Amino acid sequence: MSEMKSPALQYRFDGPEDAPVLVLGPSLGTTWHMWDRQVPELMKHWKVFRFDLPGHGGAPAHPAASVADLADRLLTTLDSLGVQRFGYAGCALGGAVGTELALRHPERIASLALIAASPRFGTADEFRQRGVIVRTNGLDPIARTSPERWFTSGFAAAQPAITEWAVQMVRTTDPGCYIAACEALASFDVRPELGRVGVPTLVLVGSDDQVTGPAEARTLVAGIPDARLAVVPGASHLVPVEQPAAVTDLLVRHFTSAWLPAIDATSGQMAIVAPPVKPVLAAGSPVAPVAEIAAAEQPEALGRPDPYDAGIKVRREVLGDAHVDRALAQADEFSGDFQELITRYAWGEIWDRPGLDRRSRSCVTLTALVAGGHLDELAFHTRAALRNGLTPAEIKEVLLQAAVYCGIPAANSAFKVAQQVIREETTPQE
């Protein structure tokens, strides 16, 4: 069976056909128009390639499962156009795509600019919570609050047309693709790998960015061997829109100095090449703690991998980092083995099995907890069900079904617990 290629992205080119290609990547909730003010100057030097994220700007709504998936789709699109090597500038989620490309496909990237970016965007819980809100309320609450996340208050007040453009841009995004992008950011964390980014990198950030601000930018600069920092005063998160001239000037200077012209020895023609990628040893990955168990009892002794690592990953994705961190922090010599047991077997062996998807497993789990009267567990598994894609209406149907088979008193208690959790999780944050 042939492997399916990643779907191509919606794109446009601006600039001379024979110029080197500079790719511009958008942030979550925006379209390629966020770069409109940069293109006239950039296209004097490069053939500018802009793309839309899935479901953004009228692009086909094929949700991407991860930042790596988005990077693969971008490469599929560029491959179809015969573009092999290119410069890349990306904002926020677009910056994550650029970092992913520099790590996984360094031979394709000549030079890199990361704008309003981070090696990890907030916490996984925050982005999964945003996905729950969108799934329950649609994109309108996110759209209405986007200007305060993206712009300084002075800019938003002085530029009502741009502010309304931002709101409408988010409002017209496909909700399923937006939720998938939130999941992609929730699982994105390249902090241990920054030392392997071997291309010249400009890290650019607005001085007033409250989303991914100067602290995150300095983390990138400290981790990437060949990186320099530029802080744009008077700008927030969507700095290319708020301070277009400053961003344009910084990009031109970076890509003309870190992406040098040279003579191709084989053809004698002028080519655009970057300094060679420096070999850097990969940073070690953290090792999960394990209790002392006799070698004969370890899963490896049975000829299969230990499910602990898979279990802790699934447990965090379903229940949230905050919940899992709290449970592990409270474990001591008495309860530590129990925490390891449920991580390894409940989450690594059962929740990670392919036979049911996570939505179905949440339905089964909620029903079992109602039947057993386990209301504390019902609360955090109601949160998990929302994160796994169940809507409040679907959770209600599960509890109604449970009322028939588990009893009215049990379901009555379950409805009270679930109702409170759903209110907390689906109420948009002002």
Side-chain angles (χ1 to χ4, degrees), residues 305-315 317-318 343-358 361:
D306 186 344
Y308 185 93
D309 289 342
I312 198 68
K313 179 176 182 292
V314 174
R315 189 179 181 186
E317 289 173 354
V318 173
T343 298
R344 177 172 277 118
Y345 294 105
W347 295 102
E349 293 279 8
I350 301 302
W351 273 87
D352 200 39
R353 287 175 63 85
L356 291 176
D357 62 21
R358 291 185 185 176
R361 292 190 185 279

Side-chain angles (χ1 to χ4, degrees), residues 187 300 337:
S187 59
E300 289 92 334
D337 288 350

Side-chain angles (χ1 to χ4, degrees), residues 265-280:
T266 58
S267 65
Q269 300 297 312
M270 186 70 76
I272 301 295
V273 298
V277 175
K278 295 180 291 186
V280 182

Side-chain angles (χ1 to χ4, degrees), residues 336-394:
D337 288 350
F338 174 71
Q339 288 297 324
E340 185 174 333
L341 174 74
I342 59 177
T343 298
R344 177 172 277 118
Y345 294 105
W347 295 102
E349 293 279 8
I350 301 302
W351 273 87
D352 200 39
R353 287 175 63 85
L356 291 176
D357 62 21
R358 291 185 185 176
R359 285 170 47 89
S360 300
R361 292 190 185 279
S362 278
C363 290
V364 173
T365 303
L366 291 176
T367 305
L369 293 172
V370 173
H374 304 301
L375 298 183
D376 288 342
E377 288 80 2
L378 180 69
F380 62 73
H381 271 286
T382 299
R383 290 188 178 88
L386 291 167
R387 293 159 67 98
N388 283 342
L390 290 177
T391 65
E394 290 170 327

